[in-house]
Structures are given as C-alpha cells and as structure tokens.
C-alpha cells in the first residue's frame, strides 16, 4: 500500500479532505501472476528485500527532499548495514535534491528490464519540472548483483494535464506477455501504463492509458494503485483508489480494473468498497487473489457533517474474495470481530495500513493490519499491529491471531506518544526460508524521525526472537527535520 505525497508533509496527523481520508499510506501484497512476485530481490541473492521511505528527509541542506532506503535480506533478516540509501543527490540518479520534492514517498518494485534483478520505481511527486511547479517525476533505480544503483527517468507524457506525477505506482504483468509493466498515477483520473521491456536508456515496450470514475484536480486524482491477480488468469489486475465523482463530499472509493491480453480494461471496471489502503493476496488458498481494503476513518462524532458511508468506529478492513469472475463475496473485519485483539475505539485507525504474505508456509496469505492511532496504557497514538491468519474458510478472526506493540515483550522500544507504530507494515520473506517476515514502520518515533522494526517468522508465526529496530541515522538518513522514516514501503 502507499501513502502518497499529499499527506501533510509537516504534520503527523492524517488529513481529512472532502470527506475522504488521506494517510501516510502504503502497502501492497500481491497474488502472484506469471511475473510479479510478492517478494522483491534487488540483488538476486535469494533473500527478499524491502524498501522504506524517508520522504521528508533533509538532503544536501534541502528539507523535504527525501530519500528511500533499500534493506537487503539475509539469513538473519534485515539490518542497518546491508542496505542502499538513495536520494536525488546519489551518483547516477537523475535530478538533484530540492526542498519538498518528497523523493521516495511512493515506490514500487519489479524487474522492468527482464535481467533477473528486481528494480525500484521511485517518485518525487513534489518536484518542479522545467518550470512546472509540483509537476513530479518518476524514475527507476536498477537492480544488480550489488543491489540498486543508477536510475532512469520515466518521462511524463502529459505534463500540462496534471501535477504530482507519481503519486501512485504499481507493477505487474497486466497483459500477460511475461514482462513487468509499470502503472503511474497523478492528480488526474488517468492512469498511464508503461509496458514491460523498460530499458536503462528510457525506452519501453509500449504505453497506454485509461480513466476511472474518480475526481481529477489538485488534491484529488489517483491516490493509490494496488496490483494482483484477482481472477486467477495469470494477468495482473489493478485497484485504483480516488475520490468518487457522484456525491458532493467525494468520499474515497476503489475501482477494480481487470488485466486482459490487451492490457488493463477500464470498460470492465467494477466499483468496490471504500477505503484508502489495499492489498491483494490469496487468503483462502483457492487460487484467486482476495482484495483487502482498509477503511480507517470514524463516523461523524456529533453529526455536524455526514459520515463516510459504511464507516465504523476505530476503522475496519473489507475482504473481497476473488473468483474466476473477479471480485466476489465481501466481509468486514473490525477490532470487535470474533476474537480480534483490542476493541474498536475512535482514532485507532485500524486498517490505515495492511500487508499480505504467507507467514506459516501453508499456501494461504496472512494479513497484518496496522492501527497507528491505538492508545495503550494511556499513551496516545503509540500504535499497534494485528496479525490474522488465512484459512480455507477465509480470514481467521477466532484463533491464531497475534498482537504487537512496542510494549510487547521482545519488541524493541517502548510505547510512547505519537510513535505511530504500525504506520506501515510489510510482509516479505527476508530470510529466504519461504516464510514471510514482518517489518513495521513507526514513522512518529523520536519526534517523527521514524524507525523500522523487524519481527521474523519462526516458520509458524511472527516472533520477537531476533527482532531489531532500525533508526534513520543508522541507515544514512538525516534527522535534521522529521524525515518520517518508515512511513511507506515499496509495493
């Protein structure tokens, strides 16, 4: 999932906009198609890698210029030493660090040039381009045996028709040709797709675009893109999030756009449940990707303004089970469902982040849900995460669940005000054992310097044994001005 740039860079709280909610978001887990896999491997060593943003980091004295940190997996998981930290001042990366560019806020991985190494698409949505204020830029940092190095710009084909090029990114094989494609969003409702075979010289296999029924314009457009194979045809489908056009308030909504032999088909799009952050994974093991969307906002407290339709106190997630016909049966899960840990309280933001991956190796994807607004022991917005496991009958909310906060024994750190633990979550097999491990972003840690916490799988569940916390200063990120390290993970 991703928190896009228009997330109030200088504040820690989520921003309400025309009745919808913009968050510091990002997660995406996918049901694997024939090309895009649920684990990135930038250096081809067989261990999964993750990339986390420090999107408001100071670089070369420019506040808000932004960085992104690729953490390379190993038999002992991710560490602060085995990594690459990239900014626009990094050798071989186009452009230069500038104030409020937001480089790294949004990213997506994929092997775009087909060389066997995953690459990282990264945007700087706030970059001024050739006099176009906040025009935005997207580039691809290239994978190799030594990790990520060098980058190539993915040129905006319509600079005058939108701003914030790269507010949303997603990768997948949308036409089933065996090559990884890249989808790019902006303040427009038009999504551009660059077909696989993208080269270091900037050429690509083709390009097309489509629109969905969401609003265009400043503060709107494509907010989040999520890729995965929902109908099991080995072509990647796409979920497009934005503000709806058919109400005065313009609440968030999502559109499912299926992949076809000719690419993503907007004519066959279906409207889904509301929410901002989405992941796709096969929770019940039936071969179809299930769409999980977080709807984390509370109903109106005093009735002074309308509530977001279907909103629930404390937040919830919608699980839309996939089928050969696409999206099917839908269920909702809150902290009051079954035996889900905690209880639904205003401001918990349950569902503001989520990720899917197979923690126990049973062939079904499991779900991690962030609640960065959780209050524990009187500590406000310290945050927590919940792990719910997949089963043949669907998401198991009765048994086997897990709950982690920084006050949990073995988890690094402690519960502190505004830590926002769970501000992002990512399930990725970083130890190479075939089981998804958990990394958790706490972007509010130490006055919004942020941190990333690693919690490994022991083969059957997430454990605190071997856990560690990675601070921004340890991974080459300046703490000059609230970098928000850990706010977004590459999808």
């Amino acid at each position: 999932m991703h928190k896009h740039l228009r997330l109030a860079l200088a504040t820690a709280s989520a921003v309400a906009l025309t009745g919808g909610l913009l968050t510091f978001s990002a997660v995406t887990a996918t049901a694997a198609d024939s090309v895009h896999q649920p684990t990135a491997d930038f250096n081809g060593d067989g261990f999964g890698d993750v990339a986390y943003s420090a999107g408001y980091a100071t670089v070369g004295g420019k506040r808000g210029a932004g960085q992104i940190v690729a953490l390379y997996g190993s038999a002992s998981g991710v560490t602060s030493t085995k990594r690459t930290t990239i900014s626009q001042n990094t050798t071989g990366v186009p452009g230069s660090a500038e104030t409020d560019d937001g480089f790294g806020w949004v990213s997506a991985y994929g092997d775009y040039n087909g060389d066997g190494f995953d690459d990282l698409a990264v945007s700087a949505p706030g970059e001024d381009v050739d006099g176009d204020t906040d025009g935005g830029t997207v580039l691809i940092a290239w994978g190799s045996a030594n990790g990520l190095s060098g980058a190539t710009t993915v040129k905006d084909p319509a600079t005058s028709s939108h701003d914030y090029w790269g507010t949303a990114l997603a990768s997948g094989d949308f036409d089933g040709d065996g090559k990884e494609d890249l989808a790019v969003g902006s303040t427009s409702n038009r999504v551009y797709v660059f077909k696989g075979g993208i080269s270091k010289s900037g050429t690509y296999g083709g390009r097309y675009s489509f629109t969905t029924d969401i609003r265009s314009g400043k503060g709107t457009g494509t907010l989040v893109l999520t890729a995965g194979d929902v109908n099991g045809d080995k072509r990647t489908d796409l979920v497009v999030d934005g503000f709806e056009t058919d109400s005065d308030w313009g609440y968030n909504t999502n559109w499912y756009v299926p992949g076809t032999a000719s690419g993503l088909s907007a004519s066959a799009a279906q409207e889904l449940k509301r929410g901002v952050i989405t992941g796709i994974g096969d929770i019940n093991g039936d071969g179809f990707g299930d769409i999980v969307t977080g709807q984390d906002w509370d109903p109106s407290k005093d009735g002074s303004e309308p509530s977001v339709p279907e909103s629930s106190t404390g937040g919830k997630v919608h699980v839309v089970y996939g089928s050969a016909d696409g999206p099917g049966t839908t269920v909702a899960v809150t902290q009051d469902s079954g035996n889900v840990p905690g209880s639904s309280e205003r401001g918990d933001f349950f569902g503001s982040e989520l990720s899917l991956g197979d923690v126990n190796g049973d062939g079904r994807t499991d779900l991690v849900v962030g609640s960065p607004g959780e209050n524990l022991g009187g500590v406000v917005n310290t945050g927590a995460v919940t792990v719910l496991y997949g089963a043949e009958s669907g998401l198991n909310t009765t048994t086997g669940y897990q709950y982690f906060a920084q006050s949990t024994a073995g988890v690094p750190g402690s519960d502190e005000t505004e830590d926002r633990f769970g501000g992002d979550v990512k399930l990725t097999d970083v130890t190479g054992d075939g089981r998804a491990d958990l990394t958790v972003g706490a972007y509010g840690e130490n006055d919004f310097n942020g941190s990333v916490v690693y919690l490994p799988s022991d083969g059957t569940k997430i454990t605190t044994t071997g856990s560690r916390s990675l601070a921004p200063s340890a991974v080459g990120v300046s703490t000059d001005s609230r970098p928000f390290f850990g706010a977004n993970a590459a999808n």
Side-chain angles (χ1 to χ4, degrees):
M1 292 183 192
H2 289 299
K3 308 171 187 70
H4 52 84
L5 181 69
R6 296 186 307 282
L7 40 74
L9 288 177
T11 68
S13 48
V15 179
L17 180 64
T18 61
L21 182 69
L22 303 189
T23 70
F24 282 108
S25 84
V27 352
T28 303
T30 60
D33 56 33
S34 59
V35 174
H36 191 77
Q37 299 301 314
T39 297
D41 188 358
F42 301 123
N43 55 8
D45 64 358
F47 298 102
D49 308 320
V50 294
Y52 272 90
S53 68
Y56 202 57
T58 298
V59 180
K62 305 295 185 180
R63 290 188 170 184
Q67 294 172 293
I68 192 162
V69 182
L71 300 168
Y72 302 122
S74 68
S76 57
V78 292
T79 66
S80 60
T81 55
K82 193 177 180 183
R83 47 86 182 174
T84 299
T85 302
I86 301 172
S87 75
Q88 286 186 286
N89 279 3
T90 300
T91 301
V93 175
S96 59
E98 298 168 320
T99 301
D100 291 344
D101 277 357
F103 178 81
W105 272 122
V106 181
S107 59
Y109 69 86
D111 182 7
Y112 304 114
N113 61 358
D115 66 354
F117 299 99
D118 279 313
D119 313 304
L120 186 66
V122 186
S123 71
E127 178 157 312
D128 298 342
V129 181
D130 298 330
D132 180 14
T133 302
D134 295 331
T137 192
V138 174
L139 57 82
I140 295 175
W142 300 104
S144 72
N146 295 317
L148 295 173
S149 64
T152 301
T153 299
V154 179
K155 292 184 178 180
D156 183 349
T159 55
S160 63
S161 64
H162 55 248
D163 285 325
Y164 293 106
W165 174 244
T167 50
L169 300 170
S171 307
D173 184 9
F174 302 119
D175 55 9
D177 67 353
K179 298 177 181 179
E180 191 105 39
D181 309 319
L182 175 65
V184 182
S186 66
T187 56
S188 169
N189 67 347
R190 183 169 296 278
V191 174
Y192 286 87
V193 180
F194 294 82
K195 296 184 67 172
I198 303 172
S199 72
K200 292 184 179 181
S201 65
T203 62
Y204 40 84
R207 189 188 72 215
Y208 62 94
S209 67
F210 66 90
T211 62
T212 54
D213 192 16
I214 60 174
R215 295 189 181 192
S216 291
K218 187 175 181 179
T220 61
T222 305
L223 303 181
V224 180
L225 295 171
T226 305
D229 183 11
V230 176
N231 58 12
D233 65 356
K234 299 302 179 183
R235 299 185 184 97
T236 314
D237 310 314
L238 192 69
V239 175
V240 180
D241 176 80
F243 294 121
E244 65 184 8
T245 61
D246 57 356
S247 77
D248 292 337
W249 284 85
Y251 303 112
N252 281 85
T253 193
N254 292 280
W255 288 89
Y256 164 78
V257 184
T260 71
S262 57
L264 291 163
S265 174
S267 64
Q270 301 177 46
E271 190 169 8
L272 301 172
K273 292 292 186 178
R274 302 180 191 280
V276 178
I277 301 304
T278 294
I280 300 174
D282 187 4
I283 292 171
N284 55 8
D286 63 357
F288 303 107
D290 307 313
I291 303 169
V292 184
T293 299
Q295 182 173 327
D296 67 355
W297 46 77
D298 294 316
S300 175
K301 188 172 184 178
D302 57 10
S304 60
E305 58 185 41
S307 296
V308 178
E310 296 188 87
S311 55
S312 178
T313 297
K316 65 181 174 183
V317 294
H318 298 283
V319 182
V320 183
Y321 290 101
S323 72
D325 297 320
T329 303
T330 301
V331 299
V333 177
T334 72
Q335 287 183 289
D336 290 337
S337 298
N339 294 324
V340 174
S343 59
S344 295
E345 301 162 319
R346 292 191 68 85
D348 281 351
F349 298 128
F350 180 79
S352 69
E353 289 299 339
L354 56 87
S355 183
L356 292 119
D358 189 356
V359 172
N360 54 14
D362 66 353
R364 304 180 183 97
T365 50
D366 310 307
L367 172 67
V368 174
V369 183
S371 305
E374 189 82 53
N375 300 343
L376 296 172
V379 181
V380 176
N381 294 334
T382 184
V385 298
T386 303
V387 185
L388 302 171
Y389 287 84
E392 185 176 356
S393 58
L395 192 65
N396 186 350
T397 60
T398 305
T399 61
Y401 47 81
Q402 295 181 276
Y403 186 80
F404 295 97
Q406 289 186 97
S407 55
T408 302
V411 175
S414 59
D415 291 342
E416 298 170 316
T417 300
E418 297 293 349
D419 274 355
R420 303 282 177 156
F421 183 76
D424 204 355
V425 291
K426 183 67 177 174
L427 283 171
T428 305
D429 176 17
V430 296
T431 59
D433 65 354
R435 308 291 193 269
D437 310 294
L438 175 61
T439 49
V440 181
Y443 63 80
E445 186 79 44
N446 295 331
D447 194 27
F448 300 98
N449 286 333
S451 70
V452 171
V453 173
Y454 162 65
L455 299 171
S457 168
D458 66 2
T460 59
K461 63 183 184 303
I462 298 298
T463 179
T464 61
T465 303
S467 64
R468 61 185 66 100
S469 180
L470 310 182
S473 57
V475 296
V477 171
S478 168
T479 56
D480 170 69
S481 180
R482 294 182 167 184
F484 295 100
F485 176 52
N488 285 325
N491 64 10

